[in-house]
Amino acid sequence: MDYGRQKRLIIIAAIIVGIWTVGPFFWLLWASFMQTSELNQGIVKWLEDPTLQNYRRVFGLAGDDEGYDAIFGAQTRAVGIGFINSLLVAVPTAVIATAIATLAGYAFGRFEFRGKTGFLFALLLTRVLPPVAILIPYFTLFRQVGLIGNPVSLIITYLTAIIPLLAWVLMGYFATLPLEVERAARLDGCSRLKVLWYVMLPMAAPGISAAFIIAFLFAWNELLFAIILTGGGKWQTLSPALIGVSPIGALGLTPMVVFAAASTLSIIPPVIMALIFQRYITRLNIVDPVTVRA
Amino acid sequence: MASIRQMTLRGGYMTDGQFAFAIVAAVLAFHLLIIGAPLAYSFWLSLHETNIILRSQEYVGFDLWQEALENEDVIDATWRSLWFAAMVTVFSFVLSLAIALVLDMEFPFRGLLRALVLMPWAISEIVTAGLWTMMIDPGWGVFNGILVPLGIVEEGFVWLNEDWALFWVAVAFVWHIAPLGAFFFLAALQSIPKALYGAARIDGAGPIARFWYVTLPHIRYAVLIVLVVMTVDAFRQFDLVFAFTAGGPGTVTLVLPMQIYRFNFNLSQYGLASATSFILIIIATILACAYFFLLSRRRHVTRAVDEVKAAPAA
């Protein structure tokens, strides 16, 4: 194959990947600037009269709005509140999960000890558990102790789901770090926890950042736990709030254009995190749990 | 083996092994508390029939497990979930490998595309459902907006029809999940020494032979990781189905996690929901163990770990 033709084929493949990836995002943004009457004529058309009204509705700034506010006002403004609530849930979840998983990842990734493979298997197998299977007993338990609607209940259930994955990712990262620095610090009389804090954590910062992002994204995006444990309440997070303005499927009657605006706002933090994360992800080392030896 | 154990000089009163064991035992104890306790409670629930009017619970042994296993809705939902998982696994495997192969080549704006490709993975299942509704809506959607004027489909063609709804849910999920697989593959591809391709080329290997004999053996581990992640995540998927089709039209996309959700939160059959959730757990565990079994048959340690091992011991 001649070189120029190969080059063109690669560029065409790259354009296809780009359209596949970005295309749907484009239409979301497109629809968010439309009015319902305009969208009903079809989404594939030029924006004749782009409007920010849908965004104003989400922020509660729409003012007199042809009756929209009376019907959908409360659930639309819940998206903004959900945005704050999700931050208040996702950040503590990510901090706690990352801290615990860092300890576990350090122990798994750097040391040999009795029962290591068994422990690792026990931890990773819980990653397989379906969320709905965890939710049912937690729902009944939380209802009995009055924790439904409380963000603490959400944080606890999120920890069950995310710690195994983070420990696995961090174990791989710790295993790739060179031994020499750690060894030198130990020779100088540093204790193991001091080595972890002063030597290993700075070296593992990219892996730990990646773990934090994975945990944050999970907590930010999760729907099932959030809808059952906080849905409709004062602490309702972003996901149930989005369902509240969702016209999709059998779920609701809110205009699609408002859902598009709310969705666009909701993906700003994840998209920023994805752009940061992709710098780290190829450096993560997902290790084989069966044969790994540090 | 270059274990840190060999350099214990001043470790205090514990050896390195004991230190690591203590940390892991503490983490696992915490994890067992937040996951084992609810599972045990769920097991208890599955053995008791709840009467919501009297608010009483009666021990019925494994009757509810039997009821779940014989329930037509459960059986249908289980097959639907397995079929969904199979579609997602095959499509996302092919797509993520294709994306990774493209991203591994040289072309203008490669850094930009690599940054963008991860975006579908980062957003929620709800927004994914919204995006794909915009693509396939029969009235104003993108597909009909482009294909109807071209005369390829008739006006108002319903993409989410009874035969194809599960397929479109799978497509949306693949769009959402394939970027993660692509980056697993990309990391593995980047670890292949480029000189090997040159050597294979000199030996007369064409592109297909180079892929088969050079690329594939180096990414085998990534292949297994991607397969296990995709299969399990698809099999237990709730969020996307709930937001996209809510099980419809009819029940053609009512997957097993949604059926359990219905039992518990719509029909208040708590015991039956718990019993059914154990069926889901058992199948998911079997699927994961099957892959892990495949893994354990190969005495292969990832490259980076090999490097750690190769580091000179003190």
Side-chain angles (χ1 to χ4, degrees), chain B residues 40-286:
Chain B
Y41 183 55
S42 185
F43 184 71
W44 185 88
L45 283 174
S46 77
L47 304 179
H48 291 76
E49 182 104 61
T50 307
N51 186 320
I52 20 174
I53 299 159
L54 297 174
R55 294 181 154 270
S56 66
Q57 277 157 329
E58 183 197 351
Y59 178 77
V60 292
F62 280 92
D63 283 6
L64 292 169
W65 286 60
Q66 196 178 354
E67 192 183 329
L69 284 170
E70 289 168 357
N71 187 310
E72 297 246 331
D73 293 341
V74 172
I75 295 166
D76 289 350
T78 305
W79 283 115
R80 239 173 253 134
S81 277
L82 285 170
W83 179 230
F84 178 70
M87 282 196 286
V88 167
T89 306
V90 173
F91 298 160
S92 62
F93 176 80
V94 173
L95 184 69
S96 55
L97 185 56
I99 293 176
L101 288 170
V102 171
L103 291 183
D104 196 37
M105 292 183 217
E106 299 271 348
F107 54 86
F109 301 108
R110 184 174 73 170
L112 177 69
L113 189 60
R114 278 191 186 174
L116 296 176
V117 157
L118 209 51
M119 278 168 34
W121 169 75
I123 67 166
S124 66
E125 281 82 0
I126 308 159
V127 179
T128 304
L131 291 175
W132 281 89
T133 301
M134 299 196 174
M135 304 303 280
I136 64 178
D137 187 276
W140 46 264
V142 176
F143 283 6
N144 283 3
I146 293 170
L147 298 177
V148 169
L150 295 176
I152 296 172
V153 297
E154 69 230 57
E155 185 153 2
F157 180 75
V158 180
W159 297 83
L160 275 182
N161 56 39
E162 291 211 349
D163 295 329
W164 288 92
L166 197 62
F167 171 82
W168 287 109
V169 180
V171 169
F173 191 60
V174 167
W175 180 82
H176 173 57
I177 196 95
L180 185 65
F183 271 83
F184 282 158
F185 282 135
L186 185 60
L189 289 174
Q190 287 177 341
S191 75
I192 304 174
K194 293 286 175 267
L196 285 181
Y197 289 107
R201 204 188 284 259
I202 289 166
D203 287 346
I208 294 167
R210 286 201 297 274
F211 177 77
W212 194 256
Y213 292 109
V214 181
T215 310
L216 215 50
H218 278 88
I219 62 169
R220 271 170 66 182
Y221 180 66
V223 167
L224 283 165
I225 290 290
V226 169
L227 287 178
V228 75
V229 169
M230 303 296 168
T231 309
V232 171
D233 276 9
F235 185 69
R236 59 181 202 174
Q237 184 53 227
F238 174 89
D239 290 5
L240 180 71
V241 185
F242 181 79
F244 197 4
T245 62
T251 57
V252 297
T253 57
L254 194 73
V255 290
L256 190 53
M258 278 207 72
Q259 183 62 49
I260 296 169
Y261 178 95
R262 273 197 169 178
F263 281 150
N264 200 74
F265 298 107
N266 297 350
L267 305 172
S268 299
Q269 293 178 305
Y270 306 119
L272 187 60
S274 282
T276 314
S277 79
F278 277 99
I279 297 176
L280 183 65
I281 291 174
I282 289 165
I283 300 177
T285 310
I286 290 171

Side-chain angles (χ1 to χ4, degrees), chain A residues 244-259:
Chain A
V245 293
S246 166
I248 330 170
L251 296 169
L253 302 165
T254 339
M256 194 71 191
V257 288
V258 173
F259 177 74

Side-chain angles (χ1 to χ4, degrees), chain B residues 14-31:
Chain B
M14 280 194 282
T15 65
D16 280 330
Q18 286 168 335
F19 168 77
F21 183 89
I23 289 183
V24 167
V27 170
L28 225 66
F30 174 73
H31 198 62

